[in-house]
Amino acid sequence: MSVFGDVPLAPPVAVFKLSADFREDGHPQKVNLGVGAYRTDDCQPWVLPVVKKVERLIVEDAGLNHEYLPILGLPEFRSASSKVALGDGSAAIKDGRVGGVQALGGTGALRIGAEFLRRWYNGVNNTATPVYVSAPTWENHNSVFADAGFKDIRPYHYWDAAKRGLDLAGLLDDLEKAPEHSVFVLHACAHNPTGTDPTREEWKQISEIMKRRSLFVFFDSAYQGFASGDLDKDAWAIRYFVSEGFELFIAQSFSKNFGLYNERVGYLTVVARDSENLSRTLSQMEKIVRTTWSNPPSQGARIVSKTLNCPELFAEWKSNVKTMADRVLLMRDQLKAKLQALGTPGTWDHITQQIGMFSFTGLNPKQVEYMIAEKHVYLMASGRINMCGLTTSNIDYIAQSIHDAVTKVPQCRS
Amino acid sequence: MSTPGSRCNDKVVKQNGDPGDHLSVFTNTQTPAGSAKARLMFAFKKDTDTRKAYLAGREYYSEEGTTFELRLVQKIKQQQSADPTSRPGYPSSLGVREFIRRATEVALGKSSRAVVEDRVLGVQTPGFTAAVRLGAELLRHWYAVRTVWCGPVYLSSPCDDSLAGIFQAAGIQDIPSAHYPTGAALSQNQWAQIANVIMRRRLFPFFLLPPQALCYGDLEQGVWPVRYCASQGMELLCAQSFSHCFGLYGEAVGHLLCVLKQKSLLFPMESQADRIVRLLWAQPSAGGACVVATVLGNPAHLVEWKEEVKRIVERCMLIREILRERLRLLGTPGCWDHLTQQGGLYCFTGLNGEQVDFLSKKRHVYLLPDGCLNVSAINSRNLDNIVESIHLALTTSD
């Protein structure tokens, strides 16, 4: 009798199941618009030229120390990561009240932040503190906070399906009604999966309520640079909140903007009221890391830190990031143009209004099924597509497929 | 402790705008007691004595006093960085397949029945701690799930002070310590006896393979009990570290093995491990594991690795010999044979707490609190001072 005899099969992760189905599909024109990773116009993963260069420099560096990294991570990486999020001239950094923890990707950063908040925020070990995540959001948000011990995870209004945009009234209402000290997970830019971000004015309104009601700000920043092609523009919301005096967390991922998906490079930036609170917070985070992975992997952090800390490499990286962002913007423009040219019913402005890797097309589940089954175009049941999956070779086929889905499959939503 | 943050608040609040609350949200965060290791390192860093020596590190140090990369590892890294086909994007959450295969082979052997019958779950993890954490999470969520099991988990005494913390972090509170002979390796007979008791009493073994293969020159150091239990048809967990064997300290290369009774359990267990991983670190980092897989999968590389490691092992043995001989010549009280009877990176000196303290405070020589020292940190430049210091520790009466 096995001690694991009653273990049930865990439900498959939708996006990976989609990729698996895609791989099995033998159709010559099949397209995968599911997974959230950048692809070139040849539909290949892209190793950023600056990354290749830096990797070689690292491999050839005879003076490199091969010791375990400190638990909180590579020091040069830590300071560079905070700077890239908060900006070079950040007053908070100058005040010595910004620090952080190197983590295994954005997921690792979220987890450490969640574990800390569960233990030390709003009391001690208060698992009842409500945690709000956007509706919809990246499917892991819910589970990361749940596994960290939070019992009350709630959605906040975000996506308005009818108008295909931000449900600002609903969002603001949720902020007003949330219990004080609730945690809110905000997407810094390029919201996943909707691609719809608040405007600067809307962010100001969000900030005003959060400040007044003492709500905790936890930014998820996985796409800095990737959204508009400009690092500073993409960090506007984060920097605004910091300038408004918030104490907050930022879970940063360098997977997408450095193309370092498999090196697991992430960072949790902590902005505290002062250095004393910061150091106590970091000391507790260190304890948490000690029982999770103990020492973070060095390779990815070295690449990022070398790049961010050297002006020429930094400039080269920014231009690589802009290359990726520009290709996405081009595909957005072209897809919208082609749908309009085809006379596809409905408006398609949201394709170019949305930002970042993903677009919420507005296709309903039946239409999505049609796309997959009949057209071999794979996308998420929510209608989310990864713009990086579009190329100059397949965009006509995709536009035609969407057109067919919309015209042949009823619009009615359940 | 009253709210320490509030005193410093005022100037910061005025500078940056007042969120309407004078206390930091982190006010209730306590300062944790530092680990003994951390305090030691801190004291060492502050120490200005030119002859100070740190003998409490975990890594292997060369004669020049630096951690270094195995030539073979450096070669492979260069090859991999020049390879235009490498870069698959997000790897599987369970890790690099080839690495898992090799890591499993190291622990269970190529012809293990469990492997042949396809009832072994292997997961690459970012380091040894992460492997233990994953194992703890699997037990917490899925061990004897119908009985709502939540402990006890017995740990040997003594053991690494963070071990209990890992199980607690996974949600298991009931953690008693069991007796285990210090530093001594058990014979095969003794292990067989232990295994039989485990089987008879339906206990569950979680093996932690000592991450020191680099200094034993033997990747299969400590695997006999794992293989024996598997051959008896037992279920078990086993955490492995490869960072040490290959000097890949910064790269966090670990592995968790789970041997199951039936093949039908593999898929469910894999899916649950996958789920837990996705919420902790999502995927492990690829680099180090690819290097390890390359070495383990290539007989020529393995030979080259063994050669390099042999030199490391010999150096460690030599240092132990020299240490023993020098202490003998000085007439240092006590018998020092145990220095050369043991092997590996760490040497248990037998010095007590007071003597260890004397060494760090008066002689600027830093050992681990239990009297263990890292032999590789001893070199021709600091040997004299270290030997003399140990001698003084044992002859100076307080």
Side-chain angles (χ1 to χ4, degrees), chain B residues 271-345:
Chain B
S271 72
Q272 295 299 350
D274 180 292
R275 190 195 163 275
I276 293 169
V277 164
R278 281 192 201 289
L279 305 176
L280 281 171
W281 55 74
Q283 298 97 14
S285 53
C290 288
V291 171
V292 173
T294 303
V295 174
L296 294 181
N298 182 321
H301 283 330
L302 266 176
V303 165
E304 202 178 328
W305 176 79
K306 286 197 171 131
E307 275 305 309
E308 269 192 275
V309 167
K310 196 164 138 223
R311 282 190 285 278
I312 289 172
V313 171
E314 281 168 357
R315 177 168 170 262
C316 284
M317 270 319 294
L318 189 60
I319 294 170
R320 287 169 178 273
E321 295 268 1
I322 293 175
L323 198 58
R324 184 188 69 161
E325 193 51 22
R326 296 285 295 267
L327 288 170
R328 191 185 69 80
L329 286 171
L330 275 180
T332 313
C335 171
W336 296 97
D337 289 342
H338 59 277
L339 291 182
T340 50
Q341 276 161 1
Q342 310 155 25
L345 191 65

Side-chain angles (χ1 to χ4, degrees), chain A residues 257-289:
Chain A
N257 56 19
F258 266 85
L260 286 172
Y261 304 95
N262 61 4
E263 295 293 352
R264 316 308 302 134
V265 201
Y267 189 68
L268 179 73
T269 288
V270 176
V271 180
R273 180 168 300 280
D274 51 55
S275 59
E276 206 264 324
N277 275 289
L278 175 70
S279 68
R280 269 182 296 114
T281 299
L282 290 180
S283 68
Q284 287 296 349
M285 286 185 174
E286 194 170 9
K287 271 191 84 175
I288 295 168
V289 171

Side-chain angles (χ1 to χ4, degrees), chain A residues 118-336:
Chain A
R118 191 263 295 163
R119 285 170 172 71
W120 298 108
Y121 172 70
N122 197 25
V124 174
N125 205 34
N126 187 355
T127 59
T129 302
V131 175
Y132 285 80
V133 299
S134 66
T137 192
W138 180 52
E139 69 263 353
N140 242 7
H141 276 150
N142 213 303
S143 315
V144 167
F145 281 87
D147 259 42
F150 284 102
K151 303 273 184 251
D152 186 359
I153 300 169
R154 314 178 182 182
Y156 61 85
H157 285 89
Y158 196 83
W159 173 250
D160 184 333
K163 72 174 223 239
R164 287 192 194 163
L166 180 68
D167 178 5
L168 183 68
L171 206 181
L172 296 179
D173 192 53
D174 284 335
L175 290 172
E176 291 285 6
K177 298 210 167 84
E180 288 198 347
H181 307 297
S182 297
V183 174
F184 271 75
V185 179
L186 306 173
H187 297 230
C189 69
H191 184 270
N192 177 1
T194 67
T196 300
D197 293 337
T199 64
R200 292 185 181 188
E201 277 317 303
E202 289 166 345
W203 275 123
K204 287 181 179 171
Q205 293 179 59
I206 293 167
S207 157
E208 189 273 318
I209 304 174
M210 292 191 79
K211 191 190 282 194
R212 186 170 24 90
R213 310 212 56 253
S214 303
L215 303 173
F216 188 83
V217 178
F218 198 146
F219 274 112
D220 185 345
S221 176
Y223 300 101
Q224 188 183 1
F226 208 99
S228 68
D230 181 323
L231 292 170
D232 298 314
K233 245 171 116 184
D234 288 349
W236 186 87
I238 289 173
R239 295 175 189 185
Y240 177 75
F241 274 73
V242 172
S243 72
E244 286 291 297
F246 282 91
E247 293 182 292
L248 52 81
F249 287 173
I250 310 165
Q252 297 164 253
S253 166
F254 293 97
S255 296
K256 327 260 195 280
N257 56 19
F258 266 85
L260 286 172
Y261 304 95
N262 61 4
E263 295 293 352
R264 316 308 302 134
V265 201
Y267 189 68
L268 179 73
T269 288
V270 176
V271 180
R273 180 168 300 280
D274 51 55
S275 59
E276 206 264 324
N277 275 289
L278 175 70
S279 68
R280 269 182 296 114
T281 299
L282 290 180
S283 68
Q284 287 296 349
M285 286 185 174
E286 194 170 9
K287 271 191 84 175
I288 295 168
V289 171
R290 183 87 175 92
T291 57
T292 315
W293 53 69
S294 198
N295 306 88
S298 58
Q299 180 67 355
R302 284 195 204 282
I303 294 172
V304 171
S305 124
K306 221 172 164 66
T307 307
L308 295 181
N309 285 318
C310 163
E312 290 95 52
L313 293 173
F314 185 57
E316 193 179 337
W317 174 60
K318 281 199 287 191
S319 122
N320 288 170
V321 171
K322 189 155 186 314
T323 300
M324 291 192 285
D326 284 347
R327 188 176 107 62
V328 169
L329 289 169
L330 180 66
M331 291 296 103
R332 285 185 182 278
D333 281 338
Q334 288 191 354
L335 182 62
K336 178 172 114 169

Side-chain angles (χ1 to χ4, degrees), chain B residues 207-376:
Chain B
F207 289 97
L208 306 180
L209 285 188
Q212 288 188 51
L214 189 68
C215 285
Y216 288 105
D218 179 7
L219 272 174
E220 296 176 359
Q221 170 76 17
V223 303
W224 191 86
V226 181
R227 294 190 187 187
Y228 179 76
C229 289
S231 73
Q232 299 297 301
M234 290 167 73
E235 291 184 311
L236 58 90
L237 281 169
C238 176
Q240 301 163 263
S241 165
F242 289 88
S243 314
H244 269 79
C245 313
F246 295 87
L248 289 167
Y249 302 113
E251 313 243 2
V253 190
H255 188 252
L256 178 75
L257 200 75
C258 180
V259 177
L260 300 158
K261 280 216 161 98
Q262 298 130 248
K263 180 173 166 166
S264 60
L265 298 169
L266 185 59
F267 200 30
M269 283 297 282
E270 211 174 68
S271 72
Q272 295 299 350
D274 180 292
R275 190 195 163 275
I276 293 169
V277 164
R278 281 192 201 289
L279 305 176
L280 281 171
W281 55 74
Q283 298 97 14
S285 53
C290 288
V291 171
V292 173
T294 303
V295 174
L296 294 181
N298 182 321
H301 283 330
L302 266 176
V303 165
E304 202 178 328
W305 176 79
K306 286 197 171 131
E307 275 305 309
E308 269 192 275
V309 167
K310 196 164 138 223
R311 282 190 285 278
I312 289 172
V313 171
E314 281 168 357
R315 177 168 170 262
C316 284
M317 270 319 294
L318 189 60
I319 294 170
R320 287 169 178 273
E321 295 268 1
I322 293 175
L323 198 58
R324 184 188 69 161
E325 193 51 22
R326 296 285 295 267
L327 288 170
R328 191 185 69 80
L329 286 171
L330 275 180
T332 313
C335 171
W336 296 97
D337 289 342
H338 59 277
L339 291 182
T340 50
Q341 276 161 1
Q342 310 155 25
L345 191 65
Y346 287 119
C347 186
F348 181 65
T349 57
L351 292 168
N352 65 32
E354 259 177 43
Q355 291 158 344
V356 169
D357 225 32
F358 171 86
L359 280 176
S360 60
K361 296 211 165 66
K362 299 278 194 291
R363 301 289 307 177
H364 314 283
V365 173
Y366 293 75
L367 270 60
L368 283 167
D370 59 5
C372 279
L373 60 77
N374 178 333
V375 296
S376 72

